[in-house]
Amino acid sequence: MTRSDSLFEVPGALSSILFLCVANSARSQMAEGLARAKFGPRVRVQSAGSQPSRINPHAIEALREAGIDASSQVSKSVDTIDPATVDLVITLCAEEVCPLGLAGVPRIHWPLADPAGAASGIERFREARDEIARRLDGLGAELGLVE
């Protein structure tokens, strides 16, 4: 997706984002928590996965360190998401195959390595959190979602 796409031409036109990955356990959960904190009630924020599991405790801890309580977030299947409630899908897969779904909804791909990989530890989750936050700052500025 480029800036010339209609979604980016009207500031504030975006009202709903879905963060999508495979397990909905780390990257998409952190993106959901961070986006809710950054964009507030102006944007409906959801996350889901093609094979949902459970939220990784390191993801909850990394968000807590940033002042975000994600303890009530749950892992969800993309099959439970109504496409009519989504203006933009952001996929967060890197080494695995990103889920398809929600055909016709504009999509951005942020290839981020899974922090829950082989060398998993809280530091990898902090790095993923900070990279997602940086990308959300850019998206928010581009879409006129930040003040």
Side-chain angles (χ1 to χ4, degrees), residues 96-145:
E96 67 276 65
V97 176
C98 277
L100 298 175
L102 301 182
V105 177
R107 182 177 302 253
I108 295 174
H109 181 60
W110 291 351
L112 299 173
D114 187 354
S120 181
I122 188 66
E123 187 56 38
R124 289 191 55 178
F125 284 80
R126 290 174 181 139
E127 291 167 6
R129 174 201 64 206
D130 294 346
E131 178 60 20
I132 292 166
R134 185 187 68 73
R135 291 178 187 222
L136 286 170
D137 286 343
L139 180 69
E142 189 171 349
L143 297 176
L145 296 173

Side-chain angles (χ1 to χ4, degrees), residues 23-95:
N24 190 221
S25 64
R27 294 163 292 190
S28 55
Q29 289 288 342
M30 288 192 291
E32 177 181 350
L34 289 163
R36 284 187 176 160
K38 287 182 182 293
F39 304 145
R42 293 171 296 201
V43 178
R44 178 180 180 188
V45 178
Q46 303 176 83
S47 70
S50 58
Q51 298 171 15
S53 59
R54 64 175 184 81
I55 300 178
N56 189 301
H58 288 315
I60 293 171
E61 175 62 17
L63 288 174
R64 188 195 62 72
E65 291 173 357
I68 298 167
D69 179 7
S71 61
S72 65
Q73 289 181 207
V74 296
S75 186
K76 301 162 289 297
S77 171
V78 68
D79 295 334
T80 66
I81 304 295
D82 177 2
T85 67
V86 179
D87 294 326
L88 176 65
V89 173
I90 299 178
T91 54
L92 300 157
C93 311
E95 59 277 347

